[in-house]
Amino acid sequence: MFRHTAKFCLIAAVFAASPSYAQDANVSHDAEYYILQAQHAEQWAADDAAVDEALAQFRESNAGNPPNIVSILIDDLGFGDMGIPELNAIRGYSTPNINDFSDEAMRMVRMYTEPSCTPTRVAQMTGRLPVRMGMGDTAVDIAGFGLPGSEVILPELLKQAGYATSHIGKWHMGDVAESWAMNQGFDYAQMAVHQQGQLTIFNDDAIKEQVSVGIQDYDDAYTLDDWFRPDASAMMTVIEGDAGGPIREVRMESGERWNAAKYDEMNQAFQDKTMEELERLAQGDTPFFLQYWPMIPLDNTRAGRSGPESVNGGLYVDKMQLLDEWLGDLFASMEELGVAENTVVVLMGDNGHFTKYSPQSGFTPMIFRGGKADTTEGGVRVDAFMRWPGMIEADGLLNSIIHVSDLYTTLARFAGADEFIPRDRLIDGVDQSASLLFADEAKGRRDHIIIYSADVPKAIVKDQLKLKLPPKGENPIIAKFYDLYRDTREEYPVSTEVGAWGGQEFVRILGRHLARKEKYPDGPPAFGVPYEGIENIRPETQAAVDAFLVKQQSPKQ
């Protein structure tokens, strides 16, 4: 008993002696964080002091300013699709600009995301698991919900630290006004309200090519419910606005139909606007946060195709080559504008391949099994790079576990905005500054991941071991364990070998995670009227909203 009491007294003394750590200790994390903290508090305090010194030296060399931050999140890419020319070659395509970038960056080898678009983006922006606010699923059409305004997202932290903030491209965190980027801390945003389901999978050209079936490619003589099938052209497409200012739909007029040409126009416009915003922000007198979330490489039609062609010839792969050209232009512009040396750039995928469209997409799972929506490693392990010249090791590999939510806390620390992380809620992201700055896995502050599918935990990763959680009602004795170093594709369970000694420990990890929710219970998303507050809503869009509201009200009648 005395030994334990003495140990915790020592830990408390270490916290009190380290102002930066005392500050971080006020952030509430999930249960496993405190188990690591109890073992490594003294080392963490020393690491925090070293991080403070490194960041202070950078600021001194950068006219007293923290770094700029550029965040690029690419849709539906499996591990190994960027940054490794040998794997490019066996696919039959090339991403030379991204490969060159990877040589200048640290590869986060064990970056975990969420299984699909919305939850990954929510985790990166909030530093919290999407289940915490009911955002663990992915909506395609008009839905009437989104990210609550009460969430304090990354640009809101950075703005308090003096940053200018802009978002371009995909958003996909709701169709209600409080969820939109320009209402959530970005000074300016041009963003797609929905995602590629509307924009490239069930648009007019995709329907003709039967990428989507059963929408308008049949004789509707026996159809009674005209509201059953969504009309992509009636849905809101891309909106633009400044914080606190008017919000308008852009590049879409009443009566105009959405098709492959409009999709290409939108993607080019996102790239052009990103280049414009980079130049504008670089000429300002404050640090900036520029977020670019492209919609390509997802592009599901052959209609009107142009641009780079690969030996592979896949629908997505060829567009990935186009995106590589665009990112090359972005990186070159950073050099020309003189901001490359004082800017943190994060480049990564949001989840695994959209295997529903394999192999015609040109992408299939390689190293890990599974893809988008799966809780296998192929669904949640992605290529991820961070470049910060002179601060983060170039062409390095970091093999410790990092979750996408850790970017929230880590980038806030780099920016000097960690004091603004809210203390009234649970923050899942942990500060990985020391591990990244000193290229040292031993300085990591995470050794586990709980992988959710929507609101249900499906797997637990601890060190190199993974438990696939058995469904309710199934005997847990047959639960499958995998050694991820020996079996990257999760095909050879070592259930008895691991379960005999570790099964109960995994159960306790989940138990502690669920018990923590008693203090910090999960909440709902924000609900509201879709598209409310957009100044130039088209008549057909208003009609689609009215139909949605009637269907929403129907069960209550």
Side-chain angles (χ1 to χ4, degrees):
M1 179 68 178
F2 173 77
R3 288 199 306 270
H4 293 300
T5 303
K7 182 174 184 179
F8 287 118
C9 287
L10 171 63
I11 291 170
V14 170
F15 292 165
S18 173
S20 63
Y21 198 86
Q23 179 188 78
D24 183 64
N26 293 327
V27 175
S28 296
H29 293 295
D30 208 353
E32 297 309 295
Y33 177 86
Y34 299 104
I35 292 176
L36 295 183
Q37 181 190 79
Q39 300 172 67
H40 302 288
E42 192 169 355
Q43 181 60 52
W44 286 4
D47 291 342
D48 277 325
V51 168
D52 287 342
E53 182 178 354
L55 295 179
Q57 289 177 357
F58 174 83
R59 288 184 180 224
E60 186 177 348
S61 69
N62 192 45
N65 291 319
N68 307 310
I69 300 171
V70 173
S71 176
I72 305 165
L73 189 64
I74 303 177
D75 244 9
D76 297 357
L77 286 183
F79 187 93
D81 288 324
M82 299 188 292
I84 305 176
E86 293 84 356
L87 292 183
N88 281 175
I90 67 170
R91 278 259 199 240
Y93 79 112
S94 179
T95 56
N97 294 300
I98 295 174
N99 295 349
D100 288 347
F101 173 85
S102 76
D103 291 340
E104 302 167 353
M106 172 78 75
R107 178 188 278 272
M108 296 172 278
V109 177
R110 295 192 73 185
M111 169 63 82
Y112 281 86
T113 63
E114 297 293 304
S116 62
C117 311
T118 296
T120 290
R121 292 157 201 274
V122 167
Q124 181 171 334
M125 286 291 91
T126 67
R128 286 154 52 82
L129 291 177
V131 70
R132 306 281 185 205
M133 73 296 291
M135 293 293 293
D137 209 349
T138 297
V140 176
D141 59 358
I142 299 174
F145 74 90
L147 185 68
S150 58
E151 290 296 321
V152 181
I153 73 170
L154 182 59
E156 293 178 277
L157 305 183
L158 299 179
K159 279 175 66 67
Q160 292 181 79
Y163 277 68
T165 59
S166 287
H167 172 85
I168 311 295
K170 185 168 179 171
W171 185 246
H172 200 197
M173 284 185 275
D175 57 10
V176 296
E178 71 180 274
S179 70
W180 298 334
M182 64 284 284
N183 294 332
Q184 282 270 9
F186 284 97
D187 298 323
Y188 166 82
Q190 184 181 125
M191 49 165 276
V193 176
H194 297 285
Q195 42 86 289
Q196 295 93 328
Q198 167 206 16
L199 298 169
T200 186
I201 292 176
F202 59 89
N203 67 51
D204 285 0
D205 287 318
I207 291 166
K208 290 176 185 176
E209 295 184 19
Q210 295 215 330
V211 176
S212 294
V213 176
I215 297 184
Q216 293 166 322
D217 53 345
Y218 71 105
D219 186 334
D220 65 357
Y222 305 116
T223 296
L224 298 179
D225 186 354
D226 291 333
W227 293 346
F228 173 59
R229 292 164 174 81
D231 181 357
S233 297
M235 293 165 63
M236 188 64 60
T237 56
V238 177
I239 59 175
E240 180 179 49
D242 297 317
I247 301 173
R248 298 180 61 82
E249 186 178 30
V250 296
R251 299 186 297 275
M252 193 72 175
E253 301 297 330
S254 180
E256 195 172 8
R257 300 296 300 175
W258 188 267
N259 54 26
K262 296 293 291 183
Y263 187 66
D264 288 343
E265 178 189 10
M266 176 197 69
N267 284 305
Q268 184 67 61
F270 283 155
Q271 171 68 11
D272 294 344
K273 178 55 72 171
T274 300
M275 299 291 283
E276 290 174 17
E277 283 297 283
L278 174 64
E279 183 171 0
R280 181 182 70 82
L281 292 166
Q283 293 171 351
D285 56 4
T286 62
F288 64 81
F289 174 48
L290 174 60
Q291 188 160 265
Y292 179 27
W293 289 355
M295 305 290 278
I296 59 171
L298 269 68
D299 194 334
N300 284 68
T301 63
R302 291 285 178 192
R305 281 206 157 235
S306 61
E309 293 183 348
S310 66
V311 174
N312 177 304
L315 289 171
Y316 295 2
V317 164
D318 283 358
K319 292 298 183 182
M320 188 62 212
Q321 293 200 154
L322 176 61
L323 182 57
D324 180 75
E325 290 185 4
W326 286 354
L327 294 183
D329 292 341
L330 183 66
F331 299 147
S333 181
M334 291 177 65
E335 294 284 353
E336 293 164 6
L337 292 167
V339 297
E341 295 298 311
N342 64 345
T343 301
V344 178
V345 180
V346 180
L347 170 65
M348 60 183 286
D350 70 345
N351 49 249
H353 294 131
F354 203 161
T355 52
K356 167 66 178 71
Y357 292 100
S358 296
Q360 62 265 36
S361 69
F363 287 127
T364 52
M366 288 194 295
I367 297 169
F368 300 113
R369 181 169 62 89
K372 185 185 184 81
D374 295 327
T375 56
T376 53
E377 299 292 283
V380 292
R381 290 280 291 275
V382 297
D383 289 326
F385 309 92
M386 186 178 291
R387 186 183 75 178
W388 190 1
M391 294 291 288
I392 290 177
E393 180 181 311
D395 202 21
L397 296 174
L398 191 68
N399 203 34
S400 50
I401 293 175
I402 298 178
H403 185 256
V404 62
S405 63
D406 298 344
L407 294 176
Y408 177 89
T409 36
T410 304
L411 294 174
R413 180 75 180 280
F414 290 165
D418 46 329
E419 64 180 292
F420 305 116
I421 295 173
R423 267 61 173 175
D424 64 345
R425 65 200 68 187
L426 192 144
I427 302 295
D428 293 286
V430 300
D431 178 12
Q432 302 279 19
S433 300
S435 186
L436 284 159
L437 290 178
F438 307 125
D440 187 348
E441 285 88 354
K443 298 185 184 301
R445 299 195 180 175
R446 175 188 293 281
D447 71 342
H448 88 292
I449 299 288
I450 295 177
I451 302 173
Y452 273 82
S453 178
D455 60 354
V456 179
K458 290 287 190 177
I460 301 172
V461 176
K462 176 78 168 180
D463 293 336
Q464 81 271 31
L465 303 174
K466 182 173 186 177
L467 166 64
K468 180 182 177 182
L469 290 165
K472 188 176 181 179
E474 187 173 296
N475 192 328
I477 201 170
I478 63 172
K480 290 183 170 61
F481 290 87
Y482 300 95
D483 185 324
L484 297 173
Y485 287 153
R486 299 180 180 185
D487 177 18
T488 60
R489 296 186 60 79
E490 300 166 71
E491 294 174 342
Y492 305 99
V494 286
S495 300
T496 303
E497 297 90 330
V498 172
W501 66 266
Q504 196 56 241
E505 286 300 320
F506 275 87
V507 170
R508 290 175 183 133
I509 290 170
L510 181 60
R512 289 189 290 265
H513 169 73
L514 296 176
R516 192 80 166 124
K517 293 190 180 193
E518 294 177 13
K519 183 173 182 179
Y520 297 102
D522 298 340
F527 295 99
V529 177
Y531 312 149
E532 198 168 45
I534 295 174
E535 285 196 338
N536 59 336
I537 188 168
R538 291 173 283 131
E540 57 266 43
T541 305
Q542 185 60 59
V545 171
D546 293 343
F548 167 79
L549 295 175
V550 170
K551 291 192 287 185
Q552 193 178 48
Q553 184 64 31
S554 180
K556 304 172 186 176
Q557 293 177 339

